[in-house]
């Protein structure tokens, strides 16, 4: 089942409603912020995430270092996972004369779900996949299998998780409210210092998203 889309009442032109777009954002920006409302208050941690690619839903895999799993009361309640794509300040000096309100363009996804804790064996498999994902193709890349006995001991200090995303609120705020020539100028200004954001603006192409029905 696809994740439900949140936030449909606000700034509909900026909404990302296609789960495929959210998956692409996670692939490109796998460093995520995990936020939990625990019995002791809010807790936040930061860990890399991967997608479970063979699932039609949005499913993320990750791990927590101990004792973060206990601080988050992991697996006992819904959590929020924030994925931040390209972003930057947009100066009003790039607008037409008389338009004086600057802003911040960004691509962001808020993912909600209750994580399932993994067994030690499942956790080690996720850690191996995570390492392989970032090490493959690097000269002299290292892999957990290079020292399985040693890395299995280290892995005991972590707790793996799998989270099916029940709902998401994702936005690509990319100056869709501006005239095409203004968007083009903003993109040109961003290109030298933030090519990823400039590319996202070009991909958006000024498309105005309609609220889902």
């Amino acid at each position: 089942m696809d994740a439900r889309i949140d936030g449909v009442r606000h700034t509909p032109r900026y909404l990302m409603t296609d789960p495929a777009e959210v998956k692409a954002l996670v692939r490109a920006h796998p460093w995520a912020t995990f936020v939990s409302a625990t019995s002791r208050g809010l807790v936040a941690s930061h860990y890399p995430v991967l997608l479970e690619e063979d699932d039609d839903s949005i499913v993320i895999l990750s791990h927590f270092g101990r004792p973060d799993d206990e601080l988050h009361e992991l697996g006992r309640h819904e959590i929020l996972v924030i994925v931040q794509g390209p972003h930057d300040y947009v100066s009003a000096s790039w607008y037409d004369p008389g338009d004086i309100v600057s802003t911040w363009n960004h691509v962001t996804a808020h993912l909600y779900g209750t994580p399932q804790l993994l067994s030690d064996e499942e956790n080690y498999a996720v850690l191996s996949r995570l390492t392989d994902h970032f090490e493959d193709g690097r000269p002299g890349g290292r892999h957990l299998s290079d020292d399985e006995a040693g890395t299995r001991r280290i892995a005991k200090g972590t707790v793996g998780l799998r989270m099916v995303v029940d709902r998401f609120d994702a936005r690509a705020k990319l100056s869709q409210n501006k005239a095409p020539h203004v968007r083009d100028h903003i993109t040109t200004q961003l290109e030298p210092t933030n090519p990823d954001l400039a590319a996202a603006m070009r991909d958006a192409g000024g498309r105005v998203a309609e609220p889902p029905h």
Side-chain angles (χ1 to χ4, degrees), residues 1-5 15-29 51-53 55-59 83 107 109 111 165 168 170 207:
M1 180 181 295
D2 288 338
R4 181 164 56 88
I5 302 161
L15 287 179
M16 294 167 58
T17 60
D18 185 351
E21 290 183 297
V22 176
K23 289 184 175 183
L25 178 63
V26 174
R27 291 188 195 101
H29 301 274
L51 289 169
E52 197 168 83
E53 295 288 359
D55 198 297
D56 292 335
S57 302
I58 304 172
V59 182
V83 178
V107 184
L111 314 177
V165 176
F168 66 83
R207 175 176 54 84

Side-chain angles (χ1 to χ4, degrees), residues 28-29 85-87 107 174 190-191 193-203:
H29 301 274
H87 61 94
V107 184
L174 300 169
L190 289 169
E191 183 72 52
T193 57
N194 198 330
D196 288 345
L197 183 57
M201 290 189 62
R202 283 193 295 269
D203 290 343

Side-chain angles (χ1 to χ4, degrees), residues 1 11 25 34 45 49-50 56 65 121-122 135 142 155 159 175 185 192 208:
M1 180 181 295
T11 56
L25 178 63
F34 291 76
S45 297
V49 297
L50 290 176
D56 292 335
E121 197 61 35
E122 291 169 330
E135 289 289 326
R142 309 291 175 85
V159 175
S175 299
H185 184 58
V208 177

Side-chain angles (χ1 to χ4, degrees), residues 3 5 13 25 31 50 63-64 71 98 107 110 112-113 128 154 184 206:
I5 302 161
R13 64 163 59 92
L25 178 63
W31 186 245
L50 290 176
H63 68 283
F64 275 32
L71 293 175
V107 184
H110 294 175
Y112 299 87
S128 297
I154 294 171
D184 289 344

Side-chain angles (χ1 to χ4, degrees), residues 82-105:
I82 302 171
V83 178
Q84 177 70 68
H87 61 94
D88 215 331
Y89 178 72
V90 175
S91 170
S93 66
W94 301 340
Y95 302 160
D96 286 339
D99 195 346
I100 61 172
V101 180
S102 301
T103 192
W104 201 283
N105 277 3

Side-chain angles (χ1 to χ4, degrees), residues 35-44 70-73 77:
V35 182
S36 297
T38 74
S39 60
R40 296 182 295 275
L42 290 174
V43 179
E70 288 299 326
L71 293 175
H72 281 261
E73 300 170 354
H77 52 68

